[in-house]
Amino acid sequence: MPRNIEIKARVDSIEVLAASAAAIGSDGPYHIAQDDTFFSCASGRLKLRTFADGNGELIYYSRADQQGPKESFYVISPAPAPDTLRECLTLAYGQAGRVQKQRTLFLAGRTRIHLDQVAGLGNFMELEVVLEEHETPDAGMQEAHALMARLGIQPSQLIEGAYVDLLAAIAGKG
C-alpha cells in the first residue's frame, strides 16, 4: 500500500507561502478545485474527490490524528462517474462531511506542497513526502521537518485531524 509522511498547518497567507513554495519547488504551481465527500467508515477514512472536469477519485486512507509529521497509508481508485458513485456510497454508508477547497500544488522532489484555501475554514499548507516501498518513515519525517523550516512553518501552526474534522467541530458535531 502506498505511504507518505504528512503534515498540515494553518497559515495566514497563501500568497506569501506560494512565493516560498515556488522557490523550493521543481514544478508548479498547479491550481486544482477539489470537492471531497467523506463517508462513514469503520477504520480510516473514505472520501470521494471530484474535480472541475467531472472526473474523480475514490480515496481510502489511514493515519494518526496528531500534530506534526505522521505516516499515512492510502489507496486511490479512479472514479469516472463521481456523482453516481457519491449517491451510491451515501445510500450505503452515509456521509460524514464535505470539504471544498482551492488547492495550489507545487512539487519539490518527491514532496507535494499543497496550499489550500478551504471553504469555511481558511488557509492551510500540507506537505506529503512520498515514501519508497521499503523506506522507513524516519527519512520522510526528516524531510518534512526540513521543508517546514524552509517554508517558515512553526510547530504552533500544526494541526491534527482532517479538514472535515475541523468543519464538524465548527458545526458543533465534533
Side-chain angles (χ1 to χ4, degrees):
M1 183 179 298
R3 302 173 297 133
N4 61 29
I5 299 298
E6 297 184 19
I7 68 125
K8 189 180 314 237
R10 188 176 293 277
V11 299
D12 293 325
S13 172
I14 293 289
E15 293 77 18
V16 170
L17 198 53
S20 298
I24 294 170
S26 55
D27 207 358
Y30 300 102
H31 301 284
I32 310 163
Q34 297 179 343
D35 183 349
D36 294 345
T37 303
F38 287 78
F39 301 95
S40 301
C41 184
S43 65
R45 296 183 190 264
L46 182 66
K47 69 181 172 185
L48 177 64
R49 173 167 289 158
T50 58
F51 300 102
D53 68 0
N55 285 304
E57 301 172 328
L58 185 62
I59 304 167
Y60 168 82
Y61 68 95
S62 179
R63 69 169 184 243
D65 286 333
Q66 65 187 32
Q67 290 182 337
K70 55 201 149 277
E71 188 174 23
S72 177
F73 301 87
Y74 60 94
V75 177
I76 300 174
S77 179
D83 292 338
T84 54
L85 182 56
R86 178 184 302 107
E87 181 181 3
C88 182
L89 290 169
T90 298
L91 291 169
Y93 300 109
Q95 286 189 20
R98 197 157 180 178
V99 176
Q100 295 174 320
K101 62 183 172 280
Q102 294 295 320
R103 172 166 280 177
T104 302
L105 167 66
F106 294 90
L107 302 174
R110 66 179 177 164
T111 301
R112 296 183 291 256
I113 302 170
H114 299 152
L115 307 181
D116 293 336
Q117 295 174 299
V118 183
L121 287 180
N123 299 322
F124 296 85
M125 189 262 339
E126 287 185 349
L127 296 177
E128 294 179 348
V129 182
V130 179
L131 298 175
E132 297 293 328
E133 186 177 337
H134 298 291
E135 187 176 14
T136 65
D138 292 337
M141 288 187 185
Q142 289 176 4
E143 191 168 327
H145 281 294
L147 283 169
M148 282 174 54
R150 290 182 68 189
L151 291 167
I153 301 298
Q154 302 300 313
S156 61
Q157 293 175 263
L158 298 178
I159 63 167
E160 54 186 70
Y163 298 141
V164 71
D165 301 327
L166 298 175
L167 287 168
I170 290 171
K173 299 178 186 175

